[in-house]
């Protein structure tokens, strides 16, 4: 005899219907694609045809544990966040259903393993005669702004404030501005990053007479079969914007010590910048303002003082008559 399945009534939904409606409600296709991994696998494990309000909190937690409990911390947190977002959306829409149980907690991410390079090492790299001016400018700008690589690579000349040595960037996770009645707009909330003398000396040499288009461009025009957005194409030279993959390959080639892939990563400039500022005595609040992090624990992952800095700090604990 087959099992009896209670049909959904009123505002009740099947698990699969709830998943489909939730994913359809997400405006960003990249977010929908990412979140669909967690919620779809959870729906499959629960039973897509079950009424959502028949699923218990503990079932959700046990499925999370079974599917991703032995995985990386960041994977666990990402999948948990997608399921939490899905179930929160269901409650907001008036659908009865479970929640992620309290015992299935978000885990503290491990410290980043991205190394911090010394200021002297970065200065030596940028001073090398075999390094092209474009790379020198990019690396110096990444170091002085402590910005993310994609933020700087996305800059256009029109975005730069040369006199103020600053510019506004579309930050990671930036949300579109909203009008009073809730309609979304095309523009995004921007954040300001600052550079100093090193970048200020290099930028005019790089740009020469260009006054518009991408700051960092390729050396060759894109092929006839490649479609490039108008914003990513210099209207004067026809050169395309330098991509993150190209920038990473150039840095790896210049710093590799043991073949392809053994060199530096562009993200190391951000780590190195914040570490140096911290070693020079910058407060946590100032580091957060420079990095534009919202949480102190996220800044801590970037701050990696050297052994010499720790030794210098330790010397402050020596007896008053100790001789250095």
């Amino acid at each position: 005899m087959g099992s009896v399945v209670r049909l959904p009534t009123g505002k009740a939904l099947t698990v699969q219907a709830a998943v489909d409606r939730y994913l359809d409600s997400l405006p960003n296709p990249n977010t929908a694609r990412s979140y669909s991994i967690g919620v779809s696998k959870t729906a499959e494990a629960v039973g897509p045809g079950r009424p959502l309000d028949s699923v218990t909190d503990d079932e959700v937690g046990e499925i999370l544990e079974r599917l991703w409990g032995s995985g990386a911390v960041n994977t666990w947190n990402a999948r948990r966040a997608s399921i939490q977002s899905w179930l929160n959306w269901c409650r907001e829409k008036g659908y009865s259903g479970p929640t992620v149980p309290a015992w299935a907690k978000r885990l503290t991410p491990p410290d980043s393993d991205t190394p911090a390079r010394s200021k002297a090492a970065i200065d030596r790299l940028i001073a090398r005669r075999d390094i092209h001016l474009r790379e020198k400018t990019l690396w110096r700008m990444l170091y002085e702004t402590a910005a993310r690589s994609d933020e700087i690579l996305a800059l256009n000349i029109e975005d730069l404030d040369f006199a103020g040595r600053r510019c506004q960037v579309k930050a990671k996770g930036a949300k579109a501005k909203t009008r009073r009645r809730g309609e979304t707009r095309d523009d995004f909330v921007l954040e300001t990053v600052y550079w100093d003398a090193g970048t200020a000396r290099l930028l005019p040499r790089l740009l020469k007479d260009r006054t518009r288009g991408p700051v960092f461009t390729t050396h060759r025009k894109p092929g006839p079969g490649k479609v490039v957005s108008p914003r990513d194409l210099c209207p004067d030279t026809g050169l395309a914007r330098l991509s993150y993959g190209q920038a990473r390959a150039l840095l790896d080639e210049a710093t590799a010590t043991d073949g392809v892939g053994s060199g530096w990563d562009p993200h190391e400039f951000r780590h190195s910048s914040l570490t140096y500022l911290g070693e020079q005595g910058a407060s946590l609040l100032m580091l957060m303002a420079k990095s534009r992090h919202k949480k102190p624990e996220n800044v801590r992952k970037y701050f990696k003082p050297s052994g010499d800095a720790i030794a210098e700090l330790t010397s402050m604990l020596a007896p008053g008559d100790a001789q250095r």
Side-chain angles (χ1 to χ4, degrees), residues 264-300:
W264 297 11
D265 185 276
H267 203 51
E268 294 177 25
F269 290 110
R270 180 168 164 85
H271 282 253
S272 305
S273 174
L274 296 175
T275 293
Y276 179 75
L277 292 175
E279 289 179 347
Q280 298 305 303
S283 68
L284 176 61
L285 290 177
M286 290 303 293
L287 289 176
M288 290 178 65
K290 180 66 174 174
S291 67
R292 294 167 288 120
H293 282 111
K294 303 300 185 290
K295 297 180 180 179
E297 59 267 25
N298 291 338
V299 179
R300 186 183 64 83

Side-chain angles (χ1 to χ4, degrees), residues 55 81 139 170 184 187 200:
V55 182
W139 301 341
K170 178 184 173 182
T184 58
D187 51 338

Side-chain angles (χ1 to χ4, degrees), residues 39-53:
V39 296
S40 297
K41 288 189 175 182
T42 300
E44 182 180 351
V46 167
R50 285 180 58 183
L52 182 65
D53 60 2

Side-chain angles (χ1 to χ4, degrees), residues 10 15 38 43 80 102 110-111 150 200 229 248 280 293-294:
V15 171
R80 180 189 178 280
D111 288 345
D150 53 354
S229 166
R248 184 174 183 175
Q280 298 305 303
H293 282 111
K294 303 300 185 290

